[in-house]
Amino acid sequence: MHNMKPKPPMLVYFISLILSLPLLFFFFFFCFKTNTYTPPRNPNSDLKIRPGYTTYKTYIQRQLNKTLNPKLRKIWTTRDWDRKIQVFADFFQVLKQENLLFNESKALCIGARVGQEVEALRRIGVSDSVGMDLVPYPPLVVEGDFHRQPFDDGTFDFEFSNVFDHALFPDKFVGEIERTLKPGGICVLHVALSRRADKYSANDLYSVKPLVNLFTNSKVVHVRKVDGFGLDTEVVFRKIEKQDQEVIRGSR
């Protein structure tokens, strides 16, 4: 008879498996780590354009669906009229106290609908104020597309908007502001960061960094929290003076 070798007990197999697990874990982790590509972070990943606009005409029509909505226009010109004017006036008074807005300022309100913010500016003494929107509302609001403002270069001392989220092309929106602002002029934007904007919005903003990147000819004056009809952040820019722009271009 051949001598039978005793089989190792199951406990030995189990212990060997347990002892080998850390080695296997290290091996798989190392392979995954070295062979997986992590793309660099997009500096503008905090600004996302909403899909669904096949043509610019489609985008404009969707914006007009809100602007021309008879129920909304009635609310804007009746129930909301005085309330919104007072809120805007309070915002603008603070900016006057901070020497960012003056009675002599030539002011533009972008995406002004029926012009509550324009009326607010006029009531606090900034008489040379006008609004711009796809649909005019005389005498406060003239017709215009914020992607292509109908004004000459360097027209305004002050520009305000709370409709940045409606811009399909944020770079053009900002570029037109910087084009029509005078050197040293002030731009004030109210935006939503902590919540998503309404269903008519064309983009979503998750931090102020993309805004800062877009304003290539301006410097940030301040960023602060506000409570403005669903918008929670105020970002203020000052357009760089002409001589400073030349210095910056020369250093590039």
Side-chain angles (χ1 to χ4, degrees):
M1 279 180 77
H2 296 290
N3 291 331
M4 300 288 291
K5 291 184 179 181
K7 294 181 179 180
M10 290 297 295
L11 181 61
V12 175
Y13 285 120
F14 183 72
I15 292 174
S16 299
L17 180 62
I18 294 297
L19 292 175
S20 65
L21 283 177
L23 184 62
L24 290 171
F25 175 80
F26 176 79
F27 174 77
F28 285 113
F29 176 79
F30 180 78
C31 290
F32 178 80
K33 189 74 174 177
T34 55
N35 291 301
T36 301
Y37 170 69
T38 302
R41 179 176 174 82
N42 181 353
N44 288 327
S45 61
D46 285 345
L47 174 59
K48 298 186 182 300
I49 304 301
R50 294 187 181 181
Y53 296 110
T54 55
T55 65
Y56 193 66
K57 184 177 180 180
T58 302
Y59 157 76
I60 290 294
Q61 186 56 55
R62 181 159 178 78
Q63 299 306 307
L64 288 173
N65 288 344
K66 179 176 183 178
T67 304
L68 292 174
N69 184 309
K71 291 183 179 179
L72 288 176
R73 292 187 79 81
K74 184 175 181 180
I75 291 172
W76 294 336
T77 54
T78 55
R79 188 182 71 193
D80 278 1
W81 181 254
D82 289 324
R83 179 178 67 90
K84 286 193 172 184
I85 289 173
Q86 186 57 57
V87 173
F88 283 128
D90 291 342
F91 286 140
F92 296 143
Q93 284 284 19
V94 172
L95 294 170
K96 286 182 73 174
Q97 294 166 8
E98 296 171 335
N99 293 322
L100 298 172
L101 176 64
F102 304 91
N103 285 351
E104 300 76 25
S105 297
K106 185 176 181 66
L108 171 68
C109 296
I110 301 167
R113 307 298 186 199
V114 294
Q116 294 108 326
E117 51 267 71
V118 180
E119 180 64 23
L121 283 167
R122 294 182 179 185
R123 288 189 186 185
I124 66 168
V126 187
S127 57
D128 193 1
S129 303
V130 68
M132 178 188 70
D133 206 284
L134 291 172
V135 178
Y137 191 78
L140 299 175
V141 181
V142 299
E143 182 178 357
D145 182 345
F146 51 52
H147 291 114
R148 196 181 301 109
Q149 289 190 23
F151 306 109
D152 293 334
D153 297 0
T155 298
F156 299 101
D157 303 293
F158 178 89
E159 297 192 27
F160 169 80
S161 183
N162 59 4
V163 297
F164 175 80
D165 57 294
H166 289 267
L168 183 62
F169 302 107
D171 56 334
K172 292 184 178 180
F173 179 93
V174 171
E176 284 295 276
I177 291 174
E178 291 196 314
R179 180 183 67 80
T180 57
L181 266 181
K182 297 176 183 177
I186 296 295
C187 170
V188 179
L189 297 181
H190 284 183
V191 297
L193 299 181
S194 64
R195 62 183 291 273
R196 301 286 50 84
D198 68 35
K199 65 180 182 179
Y200 295 97
S201 299
N203 71 70
D204 291 300
L205 186 67
Y206 298 90
S207 78
V208 298
K209 186 176 180 180
L211 279 180
V212 175
N213 291 338
L214 288 170
F215 276 85
T216 57
N217 292 315
S218 304
K219 293 182 178 179
V220 177
V221 176
H222 70 239
V223 178
R224 64 186 172 204
K225 292 296 181 183
V226 294
D227 182 10
F229 313 114
L231 306 178
D232 53 52
T233 304
E234 178 179 89
V235 190
V236 177
F237 296 90
R238 186 188 299 275
K239 185 176 177 180
I240 299 171
E241 298 286 350
K242 188 174 182 180
Q243 59 268 26
D244 293 333
Q245 292 180 27
E246 293 172 354
V247 169
I248 291 173
R249 291 192 188 100
S251 64
R252 287 175 180 172

